[in-house]
Amino acid sequence: LIHDKPVWVRAAVTVAGPVYNFIFAILVFAAVFMVWGEGYMRPVVDQVNPGGAAARAGIVVGDEIISVDGQRTRADNDVRRIVMTSGGKPIIVEVERAGQVLSFNVTPDVVARPTPFGDQETQGVLNVMLGGNTAENLVRIDYNPATALVRGTERTWEIIDTQVRFIGALVSGGM
């Protein structure tokens, strides 16, 4: 039985489970990316709601959001993920406008949304529409096995980062 084993064996068994789960997640994402590739919408601002956080900061239609709070954003979902878990705290949004990179200090608006459990949670929003569902903003990437493994690792890290930010926002009262 495990309780009769030395402490290092019990520790190794305890750590092996979570490590395997991370490796498994990376391999599943890698397989999906290798077989089907990945498609996403570029985070180009298609609409700015007047009076919203983005409008107050100076973000305009046509800006492409290239980073939020120091994290590179290549897809519209990247922007949503980072802003949603910001807890309404000020963030720095970098955009590309007419070939120039501009930086804006933005305090996301906080909105309450119902959860599937019947209660409310708050989320940060910029109050913009991204992508516009136009073909020019749609990106499709095919991966070979090596790049699929790298992208699988990145995607696993993105999910971990989102969960840690979400828990942090819950604990700090930001959600």
Side-chain angles (χ1 to χ4, degrees):
L1 295 177
I2 191 78
H3 68 276
D4 294 330
K5 302 292 182 192
V7 172
W8 72 268
V9 171
R10 293 184 302 210
V13 168
T14 302
V15 170
V19 168
Y20 175 79
N21 286 334
F22 288 123
I23 293 169
F24 183 70
I26 290 168
L27 294 175
V28 167
F29 277 124
V32 168
F33 292 140
M34 195 169 44
V35 172
W36 288 288
E38 181 179 24
Y40 60 87
M41 295 298 290
R42 290 177 37 233
V44 175
V45 177
D46 189 53
Q47 184 178 5
V48 179
N49 294 342
R56 289 191 307 271
I59 296 171
V60 298
V61 171
D63 286 349
E64 182 167 359
I65 299 174
I66 57 174
S67 77
V68 176
D69 220 19
Q71 295 183 55
R72 186 176 138 262
T73 55
R74 66 179 188 161
D76 57 348
N77 286 334
D78 295 336
V79 175
R80 285 188 197 92
R81 174 179 54 85
I82 298 166
V83 172
M84 181 182 74
T85 58
S86 70
K89 295 184 176 121
I91 55 177
I92 296 178
V93 177
E94 286 188 329
V95 304
E96 185 176 321
R97 180 186 298 166
Q100 292 184 318
V101 175
L102 304 172
S103 184
F104 297 94
N105 291 316
V106 182
T107 301
D109 296 328
V110 177
V111 297
R113 298 203 169 133
T115 69
F117 305 108
D119 55 348
Q120 298 274 322
E121 72 178 9
T122 57
Q123 298 176 345
V125 294
L126 292 178
N127 276 312
V128 297
M129 180 184 287
L130 298 173
N133 293 325
T134 61
E136 66 189 38
N137 290 330
L138 181 61
V139 178
R140 176 157 168 73
I141 300 174
D142 293 315
Y143 295 98
N144 64 40
T147 57
L149 190 59
V150 170
R151 182 63 187 129
T153 303
E154 290 171 349
R155 185 67 185 126
T156 301
W157 176 253
E158 290 167 3
I159 291 171
I160 293 167
D161 178 64
T162 299
Q163 295 302 316
V164 169
R165 284 172 166 266
F166 180 76
I167 292 168
L170 281 175
V171 170
S172 69
M175 291 190 116

